[in-house]
Amino acid sequence: MKLPFERKTHAISAFLLMLVSGSALADYKLNFQEPVNQLGQEIFDLHMLVFWICVGIALVVFSVMFYSMIAHRKSKGAVAADFHENTTVEVIWTIIPFIILISVAIPATSTLIKIEDTGDADITIKVTGLQWKWKYEYDADGTPVSFISSLHPDHNKARAVDSGIDVTKIENYLLEVDNMMVVPVNKKIRLLVTSDDVIHSWWVPQFATKKDAIPGYVNETWTSVDKPGIYRGQCTELCGKDHAFMPIVVKAVEENEYNAWLAAKKTEAVAAAAEAAADKVWSKDELVARGQEIYMGKGGCFGCHGANGEGVATFPKLAGSAITIGPDAAHIDVVVNGKPGTAMAAYGNQLNDLELAAVITYERNAWGNAASVVQPADIKAAR
Amino acid sequence: MTATTHEEHHDEIPTGIKRWLFTTNHKDIGTMYLWFSFIMLLIGGLFALVIRAELFQPGMQVVDPNFFNMMTTLHGLVMVFGAIMPAFVGLANWQIPLMVGAPDMALPRMNNWSFWILPFAGFMLLAPMFVGGNFASGQGPAFGWTFYEPLSGQYDKLVFFVFAVHLLGFSSIMGSINIIATILNMRAPGMTLMKMPMFVWTWLITAFLLIAVMPVLAGVVTMMLTDKYFGTSFFDAAGGGDPVLFQHVFWFFGHPEVYIMILPAFGVVSEIIPTFARKKLFGYASMVYATASIAFLSFIVWAHHMFTVGMPVAGELYFMYATVLIAVPTGVKVFNWISTMYRGSMTYEIPMLWALCFVILFTIGGFSGLMLGVAPADFQYHDTYFVVAHFHYVLVSGSLFGLFAGVYYWLPKWTGNMYSNGLAQLHFWLSTIAMNLTFFPMHFTGLAGMPRRYADYPLQFTEFNVMSSVGAFMFGFSQLIFLWLVIKTIKGGEKATDRVWEGSHGLEWTIPSPAPYHSFTTAPEVK
Ligand SMILES: [Cu+2]
Ligand SMILES: [Cu+2]
């Protein structure tokens, strides 16, 4: 077993302590993560209000129950009474819960209305769920800036069955990405949440923001962050094989730092677009090298087709498949337009022409495949 | 029926495999339902143990993520459709005729058919797992028991799943028609509706729920089928369809479904508590009305499962109000049970232990349900382990414990033998401790932020996952004690009296133990 011994004894002793006293559990996270905005605090308070109401009701109800169970035992000589109805009592215990519910519904209503009020936002970010990564799109003074955020490669390696890596030694295991989302503090941030394949759900517990990413819908929600820091969340709607492996990491920074970051991203985006659009003919080696990066990174192709092109679980292998070694038109078509009704998404709107040409060329020339080179111009022509 | 008279014909009990294949006897069919559901409980339990083995520690050790998803999916489907629902139909088959004083179910041949469809449905559901002769390849459904589109549309063997669900639906609908026909037409003279035992009442209402929602379930899987194979786009956004429509239709079935799995358990507990408190059920009429209100409300709250899909705020408010309203009739039930105990003359035989445990733990599940119903907070709870904790408190310590309570209550009547008290105590205590050890920590993992249906998790969730895994293996083991106990009781044991329990009440206790193959051939009189 890879689980260190202390951890196990820890867990068992923690449980025993839990039975004896609540305070011994200071180390264990028993409740929500600390909220970092006002709305999060309000939700937390509402949650605690309902919780304490439940505890109160439980105390009353279970006291009566245990009292009856102990005091009215037959072995104590208890003789059953004969009543089996009492309209007054029955009316009272229908009305009291009703009043309690109203007292919960009032604060809940006001909080809910705030959650859904996405007006007056300072910035808008589009979040797209993809099997199994997130795409973030910003508007940098009219220039779209977008990037893909996936599970950090080291974590991805470690999480494989039989990776031989002790995951308990990895800091923030499963909660680290290659490209963080960046937001400014103290701003109202509107999020437009959607998906290109199946349903995902974007959640950062400390923001108390959760919204489903649904294909065909652009859902709106909002958040704000009171203090700079790194906040971590995960996908919360089952989206297939790697549902547990598409974390969300948000870095909240001061406004000037945010602006500098966005400006740098913009320069990068402009350069990349220019490179892809240039009518340059690339060498096979250049394309293969770039393509491998995309296959293993941004494109996330390895998640289904495997690092060795052999296919994972029920997904098809690409090594020696008819399409990857056949004519390039069919190969371009399946990658650009996807295969509706299967997990194979349309990558045409996720990758630019150069990236598509690179990943396709890579697939045609990796794992023993040896087929034609595809240039960005071929993709442009096929679109 | 030509040579022998009707009466003589009834006296012989067919033997061998034909007895079970062709039987129209409600007791035989009830027995088959109960064994089938127990086998499914063990299979579904095995799937759960694969899940818990994988989650025993962070990192992937046992299975790959796709296989893990297949396990969560099949665990849910097998437990809901294979274990809990058929088990309650089994109880209904055995008990309803005995409790209303009828010789058998109203439609005995259909009864046979509704049972015998089930094994085929189960086969159809599980068969894709073994495609290619390789269990490990994970070809079974892996999209969660709620089979949300468009993820389920990506599954290439969807057709197996769709037809399995259709078969399950046929079986449930036929079972329900039979139960309604029996209750409405075959009650003993003098047994008015408001004199029926609570178990019969809860099943009558449940049967109506089933007839109302199983066709909706059949509809939604049929839409999936045509989307996948015949080019329609009900749920495919690219073709103008709507993935959220799927969830509305699914939960229109799904929410009543959860009451289908709990109402009969309410009925069982309402039989048992008066017996061992030696006092009439408190508030019988309000119990009936509360059950009916819960059933009605169950149709108008479905979207509380969908607060995060992006409904208009007015819709969210409505579904929040309607949902928390269910706490009122549910509270009435709990108060009635406790008032029945109050100033009773209580003893704690095995069925009573399960019933009391049900009242406490189901109420805890009800509290977390109330918390989940409060929409703003649900945004935080939704799709985390908090939800998993909640529905296992209502389904394991609710439905399943209710079933155990019922089996321990009526088993002496069915077999004619008393069971071993020691084994039964062991089963009860182990199950109860293990159940809480498994599911209580899940409240904490959920609140701290662990999403459900995760094959692997960040390190801070380790301790509570270890506890859950230890508890789950304990729980699984204790069910083998139950199996042994039941087999032992069927084989022999101290003879049960006709009344079995000192405080028992109702027609089923007026016939001999074991209940003869044909009972109430002449109707009893109810005052
Ligand atoms: Cu996901
Ligand atoms: Cu519901």
Side-chain angles (χ1 to χ4, degrees):
Chain A
M1 288 286 144
K2 269 177 233 138
L3 187 75
F5 180 67
E6 330 86 68
R7 254 186 187 288
K8 244 185 285 185
T9 44
H10 235 76
I12 292 163
S13 58
F15 180 71
L16 292 177
L17 282 171
M18 185 169 73
L19 296 176
V20 191
S21 80
S23 62
L25 272 164
D27 293 355
Y28 297 87
K29 203 66 203 138
L30 298 175
N31 209 338
F32 284 169
Q33 297 173 29
E34 192 198 342
V36 290
N37 54 35
Q38 209 197 327
L39 191 56
Q41 188 61 46
E42 216 172 278
I43 293 173
F44 184 87
D45 294 342
L46 183 65
H47 150 72
M48 290 315 286
L49 170 75
V50 186
F51 172 72
W52 286 118
I53 289 177
C54 291
V55 171
I57 299 174
L59 281 178
V60 174
V61 171
F62 293 147
S63 309
V64 179
M65 177 168 169
F66 282 109
Y67 171 76
S68 317
M69 282 167 58
I70 294 164
H72 305 147
R73 270 175 295 167
K74 188 180 178 220
S75 57
K76 283 269 190 148
V79 179
D82 196 26
F83 66 89
H84 56 83
E85 242 163 9
N86 186 326
T87 315
T88 323
V89 176
E90 289 175 60
V91 169
I92 290 174
W93 72 39
T94 311
I95 289 174
I96 291 181
F98 199 78
I99 293 169
I100 295 176
L101 289 179
I102 291 173
S103 71
V104 171
I106 292 168
T109 302
S110 95
T111 308
L112 190 61
I113 288 170
K114 284 182 210 162
I115 293 177
E116 297 297 343
D117 174 16
T118 53
D120 293 327
D122 299 307
I123 63 168
T124 297
I125 303 171
K126 186 173 173 201
V127 179
T128 307
L130 302 163
Q131 278 175 322
W132 296 285
K133 58 209 175 219
W134 295 95
K135 182 163 83 170
Y136 299 105
E137 290 172 85
Y138 293 69
D139 174 29
D141 310 320
T143 309
V145 165
S146 84
F147 58 91
I148 300 259
S149 176
S150 355
L151 179 65
H152 193 283
D154 294 347
H155 296 236
N156 210 8
K157 215 177 287 160
R159 61 101 169 176
V161 185
D162 301 329
S163 68
I165 300 172
D166 179 2
V167 300
T168 60
K169 297 274 157 22
I170 300 180
E171 206 187 338
N172 292 320
Y173 175 58
L174 298 186
L175 293 173
E176 202 73 79
V177 293
D178 50 1
N179 294 307
M180 289 185 207
M181 177 186 189
V182 178
V183 299
V185 291
N186 298 319
K187 295 276 178 212
K188 184 163 184 180
I189 302 154
R190 185 168 71 127
L191 300 169
L192 300 179
V193 186
T194 185
S195 164
D196 271 358
D197 40 50
V198 300
I199 302 177
H200 307 263
S201 190
W202 194 89
W203 183 38
V204 177
Q206 287 186 279
F207 295 178
T209 303
K210 183 184 285 159
K211 203 68 161 183
D212 289 0
I214 305 173
Y217 277 80
V218 179
N219 271 334
E220 271 185 72
T221 186
W222 71 277
T223 190
S224 67
V225 193
D226 288 353
K227 51 177 191 267
I230 291 180
Y231 303 101
R232 299 166 198 280
Q234 292 177 296
C235 176
T236 46
E237 181 60 64
L238 178 64
C239 54
K241 179 171 75 71
D242 286 347
H243 170 51
F245 308 103
M246 49 181 291
I248 294 149
V249 182
V250 183
K251 187 175 176 188
V253 297
E254 296 296 345
E255 193 180 4
N256 51 2
E257 202 179 323
Y258 170 76
N259 289 335
W261 171 82
L262 193 58
K265 276 282 173 195
K266 180 178 171 182
T267 320
E268 254 176 55
V270 172
E275 193 182 33
D279 274 338
K280 177 172 168 190
V281 175
W282 297 74
S283 78
K284 178 174 154 189
D285 290 346
E286 279 173 322
L287 288 173
V288 167
R290 277 174 179 255
Q292 182 172 19
E293 247 170 57
I294 290 162
Y295 186 89
M296 294 302 298
K298 186 173 179 182
C301 320
F302 71 97
C304 292
H305 298 297
N308 51 10
E310 289 298 326
V312 176
T314 58
F315 299 108
K317 66 187 255 177
L318 298 180
S321 88
I323 288 193
T324 50
I325 57 175
D328 58 13
H331 194 169
I332 295 174
D333 178 58
V334 67
V335 179
V336 173
N337 301 318
K339 264 276 162 89
T342 74
M344 183 60 201
Y347 284 90
N349 48 16
Q350 286 183 39
L351 302 174
N352 67 30
D353 292 355
L354 173 58
E355 291 164 333
L356 287 164
V359 77
I360 293 170
T361 303
Y362 170 68
E363 285 178 349
R364 299 175 73 73
N365 294 282
W367 326 298
N369 289 357
S372 56
V373 170
V374 172
Q375 293 291 342
D378 301 329
I379 306 285
K380 204 168 170 185
R383 273 185 191 263
Chain B
M1 227 175 281
T2 42
T4 54
T5 71
H6 198 69
E7 279 305 311
E8 277 168 78
H9 177 76
H10 266 197
D11 285 341
E12 65 198 53
I13 302 174
T15 49
I17 183 75
K18 279 190 176 165
R19 164 170 175 189
W20 301 103
L21 272 179
F22 301 132
T23 183
T24 54
N25 181 288
H26 73 104
K27 299 183 183 85
D28 282 353
I29 295 174
T31 303
M32 289 195 295
Y33 263 111
L34 289 169
W35 276 113
F36 174 82
S37 60
F38 189 72
I39 292 165
M40 292 307 254
L41 181 79
L42 295 183
I43 294 176
L46 213 60
F47 295 160
L49 294 185
V50 174
I51 297 172
R52 287 319 319 173
E54 180 53 62
L55 294 178
F56 181 65
Q57 44 182 315
M60 302 296 297
Q61 295 85 17
V62 183
V63 293
D64 67 69
N66 181 65
F67 195 91
F68 181 90
N69 290 348
M70 186 173 96
M71 289 292 102
T72 57
T73 306
L74 291 173
H75 165 68
L77 290 168
V78 165
M79 288 307 196
V80 167
F81 294 106
I84 301 291
M85 291 171 70
F88 278 121
V89 182
L91 276 193
N93 253 297
W94 255 103
Q95 286 311 123
I96 289 177
L98 295 188
M99 294 170 97
V100 302
D104 203 308
M105 296 293 278
L107 308 159
R109 282 201 173 112
M110 194 162 87
N111 204 10
N112 172 294
W113 196 22
S114 31
F115 172 76
W116 277 110
I117 283 177
L118 277 182
F120 295 94
F123 174 78
M124 193 92 100
L125 187 66
L126 297 177
M129 252 187 358
F130 302 97
V131 168
N134 182 3
F135 182 62
S137 66
Q139 303 275 337
F143 37 61
W145 86 273
T146 52
F147 55 93
Y148 276 13
E149 283 277 6
L151 181 64
S152 48
Q154 290 183 345
Y155 177 48
D156 60 354
K157 294 174 189 67
L158 190 67
V159 64
F160 283 90
F161 169 78
V162 169
F163 285 116
V165 171
H166 276 147
L167 288 182
L168 290 164
F170 288 150
S171 164
S172 290
I173 291 174
M174 287 194 289
S176 306
I177 291 174
N178 215 339
I179 286 168
I180 294 172
T182 309
I183 297 174
L184 294 186
N185 296 308
M186 298 180 64
R187 295 192 312 279
M191 184 181 278
T192 59
L193 283 177
M194 287 312 270
K195 277 191 190 158
M196 289 196 313
M198 264 321 283
F199 178 71
V200 178
W201 253 117
T202 53
W203 243 117
L204 180 64
I205 292 170
T206 302
F208 277 107
L209 283 182
L210 273 167
I211 290 183
V213 300
M214 289 317 269
V216 178
L217 178 67
V220 78
V221 294
T222 307
M223 287 151 94
M224 292 168 69
L225 184 82
T226 62
D227 268 12
K228 178 89 186 166
Y229 301 101
F230 302 104
T232 58
S233 304
F234 291 108
F235 307 128
D236 177 10
D242 183 350
V244 177
L245 172 68
F246 172 88
Q247 296 182 27
H248 282 292
V249 184
F250 176 81
W251 286 112
F252 188 82
F253 147 80
H255 192 80
E257 168 69 16
V258 306
Y259 290 100
I260 287 167
M261 292 189 283
I262 200 67
L263 293 183
F266 288 170
V268 170
V269 169
S270 305
E271 297 299 327
I272 291 174
I273 292 177
T275 298
F276 297 98
R278 292 167 183 75
K279 189 160 153 275
K280 259 178 105 170
L281 182 67
F282 186 88
Y284 172 90
S286 70
M287 224 46 163
V288 172
Y289 300 136
T291 311
S293 334
I294 292 175
F296 169 74
L297 287 172
S298 78
F299 283 107
I300 57 169
V301 297
W302 73 89
H304 62 209
H305 298 269
M306 304 165 53
F307 282 133
T308 59
V309 300
M311 273 182 286
V313 68
E316 291 177 342
L317 286 172
Y318 160 73
F319 281 109
M320 170 169 75
Y321 300 149
T323 299
V324 295
L325 205 58
I326 299 186
V328 175
T330 313
V332 166
K333 295 203 144 259
V334 174
F335 301 146
N336 281 341
W337 288 324
I338 292 176
S339 307
T340 307
M341 296 177 215
Y342 185 73
R343 294 187 52 209
S345 171
M346 308 259 285
T347 52
Y348 300 101
E349 285 86 343
I350 302 290
M352 186 61 162
L353 291 179
W354 288 100
L356 294 172
C357 196
F358 170 99
V359 172
I360 296 170
L361 299 180
F362 173 81
T363 304
I364 292 177
F367 286 137
S368 54
L370 177 64
M371 295 172 77
L372 286 160
V374 178
D378 181 68
F379 276 85
Q380 286 292 76
Y381 310 135
H382 178 67
D383 265 344
T384 68
Y385 261 81
F386 191 76
V387 178
V388 180
H390 159 71
F391 69 70
H392 283 93
Y393 265 82
V394 291
L395 275 173
V396 177
S397 50
S399 307
L400 184 63
F401 281 19
L403 281 161
F404 282 139
V407 170
Y408 280 111
Y409 188 49
W410 287 307
L411 193 61
K413 176 57 64 187
W414 300 338
T415 60
N417 302 319
M418 296 305 286
Y419 39 80
S420 144
N421 190 55
L423 274 183
Q425 292 273 358
L426 189 67
H427 175 226
F428 169 76
W429 288 107
L430 271 181
S431 295
T432 302
I433 294 169
M435 185 273 157
N436 285 290
L437 179 57
T438 311
F439 299 111
F440 206 76
M442 289 184 185
H443 291 109
F444 302 128
T445 27
L447 292 177
M450 179 166 161
R452 66 192 280 205
R453 293 164 168 163
Y454 260 34
D456 195 2
Y457 50 86
L459 306 178
Q460 69 263 35
F461 305 125
T462 310
E463 283 76 9
F464 288 128
N465 271 294
V466 171
M467 292 179 208
S468 292
S469 291
V470 171
F473 277 88
M474 234 172 101
F475 192 83
F477 168 75
S478 29
Q479 303 329 309
L480 299 178
I481 302 176
F482 176 66
L483 175 65
W484 185 30
L485 174 148
V486 171
I487 293 174
K488 251 182 80 171
T489 313
I490 292 172
K491 289 207 164 139
E494 188 198 325
K495 292 288 157 243
T497 60
D498 293 355
R499 289 182 56 86
V500 184
W501 314 109
E502 189 189 44
S504 55
H505 52 98
L507 289 176
E508 76 262 43
W509 310 107
T510 62
I511 56 170
S513 300
Y517 199 60
H518 297 288
S519 38
F520 295 123
T521 34
T522 44
E525 192 78 41
V526 178
K527 299 167 271 65

